Amino acid sequence: MARSVLFIKHIEYETGGHATTLLSHLPTREAVFPTELPSLDEIAGVVITGGQMSAADVEAFPSLQLTADLALRAIDAEIPVLGLCLGHQIIGRALGGEHREGAVDSAGIIDIDVIVPDPWLGDHVGRVGAMRWNSDVVSLPPGATLLARSADIDNDAFRYGSAVGMQFHLEADDRVMRLWDSLASPTLSALRGADAVADWRRHLTTDPTLLGIVERGFGAFAEECASRL
């Protein structure tokens, strides 16, 4: 079977946002709450998106452990793996990072300090406002390179071999935000108010620094996946 980029999702209404859009020129497939996953020889890259459960809740959601196992095998095979929010925690936990539930109460545009340039973060170094919505965190896995941190999270992004985890939602576009404010429980507006959500949506569609990182970062990830097709 021909290779494709695999999107692993743990929310029924997950779209993949910018990641889906900027990888649309490549063959892709998705697995939602998967009970089985394709073999490595069918995969050109892996994107693990967000979810509202804990990455440690593997008994209630067996797909989490299935995803973690695939991520480790993909990293060993040098297949590109990108983890976003829950995906970041799944990969970090699988690599030996300490997972802490309920460590923060984060929802909104957060100032992220990118300290090491990485192609999947657009080779940006400096501060960027990015969307985060999480309560759990994971520490830097042994042997990983810290890419970004923030005031309340020491490990906001890391690289380990062919994998990058981002605690923030670089993929969040306006459709993602609309879904989070209508189908999520609770909605963003219920948590932080409609005015705050409107400000976040405006930032995500107009901030040149963030939009540049999105374009360059997902573009670089797509190039690495394309090289394995």
Side-chain angles (χ1 to χ4, degrees):
M1 179 178 292
R3 291 179 184 264
S4 59
V5 180
L6 175 66
F7 281 74
I8 304 177
K9 303 179 178 182
H10 293 94
I11 296 178
E12 292 86 349
Y13 56 83
E14 172 65 65
T15 69
H18 289 303
T20 297
T21 300
L22 294 171
L23 272 73
S24 62
H25 60 293
L26 303 178
T28 62
R29 61 194 296 185
E30 68 175 37
V32 184
F33 289 106
T35 56
E36 60 179 346
L37 289 169
S39 61
L40 293 183
D41 60 6
E42 299 176 34
I43 297 173
V46 182
V47 180
I48 307 169
T49 60
Q52 292 183 287
M53 69 288 292
S54 166
D57 202 0
V58 294
E59 290 191 9
F61 301 97
S63 57
L64 297 173
Q65 189 61 55
L66 198 66
T67 301
D69 293 342
L70 178 71
L72 291 180
R73 291 188 290 111
I75 292 168
D76 286 343
E78 299 183 343
I79 295 170
V81 181
L82 178 60
L84 301 165
C85 194
L86 174 66
H88 163 89
Q89 296 165 17
I90 290 172
I91 298 169
R93 186 171 178 270
L95 290 169
E98 178 189 1
H99 178 257
R100 292 187 295 133
E101 296 184 59
V104 296
D105 179 18
S106 180
I109 300 298
I110 306 295
D111 284 336
I112 309 295
D113 291 311
V114 183
I115 58 174
V116 174
D118 189 276
W120 299 2
L121 281 169
D123 286 318
H124 174 80
V125 173
R127 183 159 291 186
V128 60
M131 185 67 198
R132 252 201 4 229
W133 190 3
N134 66 295
S135 57
D136 292 8
V137 300
V138 64
S139 67
L140 185 69
T145 298
L146 182 67
L147 300 180
R149 59 193 174 205
S150 60
D152 59 346
I153 294 183
D154 294 332
N155 172 30
D156 245 313
F158 70 88
R159 177 174 282 277
Y160 186 97
S162 66
V164 167
M166 303 180 194
Q167 184 58 71
F168 46 93
H169 285 280
L170 191 63
E171 85 285 6
D173 60 9
D174 199 60
R175 184 183 179 201
V176 166
M177 294 294 286
R178 285 188 283 109
L179 290 170
W180 287 352
D181 207 30
S182 58
L183 299 181
S185 180
T187 65
L188 283 172
S189 286
L191 284 174
R192 297 293 191 266
D195 289 344
V197 175
D199 287 342
W200 302 339
R201 290 176 63 181
R202 189 177 305 111
H203 174 87
L204 291 174
T205 57
T206 62
D207 184 77
T209 300
L210 177 62
L211 292 173
I213 292 171
V214 166
E215 291 283 345
R216 297 191 306 274
F218 285 120
F221 177 76
E223 287 182 10
E224 290 202 35
C225 294
S227 71
R228 300 190 63 88
L229 290 174

